[in-house]
């Protein structure tokens, strides 16, 4: 297996390990993730009108996503504890879904891709939690990293597939 394909979270004996990043220099790093919550026209109308019975869904989801970005090491056992120096979570209403985008920034030794994905995922879960009484069929789809910058591997971006 070449170095690019080497599994960094597995030692020579095949045991899980946390990668040692202590020799790396802190650099500014960002990651952006996107996801969607597919939901009914009734829910989207209630979101636009602010009439969801549980309250301001988008505000709750935004705060939930930001809080989640700061808790990644509690959720993912091999993730490093890093400083989350900035986090934005934006939610936009479309015809058949709520679009969620999170961007996380740090000046640390490792990237924030997992923090951005976690922010989007938990924001999506918060949306579902708050609309499930109106639309039990709401679901999360198309969640993934769309951009990152900084670190050894530099800048990268893509669009999520349909």
């Amino acid at each position: 297996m070449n170095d690019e394909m080497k599994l960094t979270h597995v030692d020579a004996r095949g045991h899980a390990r946390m990668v040692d990043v202590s020799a790396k220099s802190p650099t500014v790093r960002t990651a952006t993730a996107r996801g969607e919550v597919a939901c009914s026209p009734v829910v989207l109308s209630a979101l636009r009108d602010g009439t969801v019975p549980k309250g301001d869904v988008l505000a709750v989801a935004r705060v939930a996503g930001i809080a989640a970005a700061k808790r990644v090491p509690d959720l993912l056992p091999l993730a490093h504890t890093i400083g989350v120096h900035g986090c934005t979570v934006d939610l936009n209403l479309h015809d058949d879904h709520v679009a969620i985008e999170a961007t996380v920034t740090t000046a640390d030794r490792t990237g924030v891709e997992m923090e951005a994905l976690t922010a989007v995922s938990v924001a999506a879960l918060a949306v579902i939690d708050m609309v499930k009484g109106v639309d039990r069929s709401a679901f999360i789809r198309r969640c993934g990293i769309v951009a990152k910058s900084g670190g050894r591997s530099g800048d990268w971006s893509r669009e999520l597939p349909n």
Side-chain angles (χ1 to χ4, degrees), residues 42-43 45-55 57 134:
V42 171
V43 166
S45 178
L47 289 169
R48 283 187 184 92
D49 298 342
T51 59
V52 175
K54 287 191 175 182
V57 174
V134 180

Side-chain angles (χ1 to χ4, degrees), residues 19-33:
V19 175
D20 182 357
V21 296
S22 59
K24 293 171 98 177
S25 296
T27 60
V28 174
R29 300 158 185 263
T30 64
T32 299

Side-chain angles (χ1 to χ4, degrees), residues 85-134:
H85 298 122
C87 181
T88 61
V89 177
D90 295 313
L91 295 99
N92 293 293
L93 304 178
H94 292 264
D95 290 339
D96 66 343
H97 68 278
V98 178
I100 304 167
E101 180 175 290
T103 299
V104 180
T105 305
T106 189
D108 219 316
R109 292 177 167 88
T110 190
V112 284
E113 293 90 344
M114 294 302 100
E115 288 74 7
L117 279 170
T118 301
V120 166
S121 299
V122 171
L125 289 169
V127 170
I128 288 176
D129 180 48
M130 293 189 73
V131 305
K132 69 183 182 234
V134 180

Side-chain angles (χ1 to χ4, degrees), residues 122-146:
V122 171
L125 289 169
V127 170
I128 288 176
D129 180 48
M130 293 189 73
V131 305
K132 69 183 182 234
V134 180
D135 181 6
R136 295 207 181 276
S137 68
F139 65 96
I140 300 168
R141 67 183 185 195
R142 296 171 33 88
C143 184
I145 295 291
V146 295

